[in-house]
Amino acid sequence: MSFLRILYFYTLVCLLFIWVGLSITRVFYNIVRTVTTEREWFLMTDDEKRANLLGNEHIFLAMTKKTTPSDAEILVLIPNANILPGLFYKTIYYLYPRKLTFVEYINSVNLKDFEFIISCSNDSILLDVTFENVSNLYEYEVNNVLCTLYRNE
Amino acid sequence: MNELLVISLIVLQIFVGYVFASSLLKKSNFSLLSFIPISFGVGVGIVAYLLFVLSLLSISWSPIVILIIIVLFLLLTKRLIPDIKLLFLPKKQFNFLQKIIFLFIVLTVSYTFTQAILRPLYAWDGWAIWLLKSKVFFYDGYLGPAIFHLVKDSYPFVMSLNSTFYYIFLGRPDDQAVLIAYYFFYLMTGVAIFSFLQNKIGLTKALVSSFLYLSLQNAIRHGGRFEAGYSDLALGFYIFIAILLLHESIKNRTGKSSLLFGIILGITSLIKQEGLVISMLITLLYLYTVIRLKIRITQLIYVLIGLIPVGVWIIFKKNHEISYSLYQHFDIQIHRLDEILVVIGKELFNFQNWNLLWVIYLFCIPLLLLSKKIRYELIVIISIILVYVIVFLGGPHDPAIHVSNTMNRLLLHIAPLSVYSLFIALDEAFNKFKK
């Protein structure tokens, strides 16, 4: 049996032992992590867990869900969808079966058709001028963008 | 409480899958333990197909209707009571070392289970694809095309309808409880690796291989921790089961075993879009074997019968003009190859995700190539990697970002098959080395 072959097999055995060692270490690490840094998760309510994971995105959408009836028609105005890539999907996820209409420009729809309006924009002039007959229910900063829920009066 | 109900529904799925699979497979070739993951895979598929067919026929998805159909299905297959002998695991006395390894397995799967029930959905694909559709289908009461057009994708339905099935019985969407189903794909992959290796390489090595797979941090994350909600672990599970049944179909050469192999291939195709391509690869491999070994062509027909739901889904998509794809403008740019290979290499050496799996796999390439028992596994693994490299070469995204974002998930597709084939090759090589 050649030396190289023997060397190959012993190296392989060493690598396998290291793999097993790493895996065992990981088991202990995971257990330690569960009882130390992750202990707080066991004590949180469902709402707190979601807020912890998603921040204001959750708080804003959960409040919108609570505020709006399940058959509400909601206009979602996101002028620049690229700055909030997840909000499109999460809005549908949280608010379905409410009827959602997504637009980038307010001019493209008739505001009267909607009972509620979600606007995510930092352009306060646009908001003040556009929504004259609506009341601002609440607002949260989501990923540095101001998201507001309006009710159409 | 919802978690308990989801676990009960998963047990029901395993039972339904068992009844169906045991009517097609020779039980003498399988232990109960190896039947359980197959049954789970079949059960998930049957439930998703059932909801899809009910939706096509405009029949309500009420729990009573679903239960009646399941009971009728069980009666029709005439295998309502499983073989009592199979209900008990063969009594095997673990030695001290085996007990220690088993303890580590229990600790690992318990940890992942805790993680699965600890947090609500966080995974991006869960929000944007799988559980989003589950929720929409649940509220709509049928599988409609509108959501596909709204989110502009055409992903298949098995994973989404499986979660919708749980929602129907829970009475409301619960995106924390359904993560247990994702955990079960993790657990069942570990069970399948152990149970199918046990007879081939022995109890201790099978336990070690199963432990090494289950303790991969990437598998743990997708099985319960933060990334439960992606479907890559499920796809890896189905690819693995499909290859195991490919061997069975070739060995047994019965129409029934080929049909079950075809059904698993069909479900694999409808897990994710990649599943369709991989199923086609495996079907081609089967076709090659049919020709090479002069197996009766009717076997192939049975496999194709199992793929009928895939055809129905394609027709459904065509009828409703659901044809969204990231790769509509596919343009192979060969100059990307260096960059792609570097990023893939980085992921293979990412010990945090994979421990030493891929390092040892690469180190063992000579042994893998020499082993005759794992030819199919090796062909499938290499083909899948080649397909992904081609997709990265031609896709619209910057490969530096795209590959690094997706490679850890794509490797999950081949991880179970890799652990399985690696240990068979190692066992063979060490036996020769000892001699």
Side-chain angles (χ1 to χ4, degrees), chain B residues 380-400:
Chain B
V380 170
I381 288 169
I382 292 169
S383 310
I384 290 174
I385 291 173
L386 280 177
V387 167
Y388 289 148
V389 170
I390 292 168
V391 168
F392 290 141
L393 285 173
H397 304 292
D398 175 3

Side-chain angles (χ1 to χ4, degrees), chain B residues 109-110 112-113 116 179-188 222-224:
Chain B
V109 296
S110 306
T112 313
F113 180 73
L179 294 185
I180 291 174
Y182 290 84
Y183 166 76
F184 262 80
F185 282 108
Y186 161 82
L187 181 68
M188 289 297 152
H222 284 256

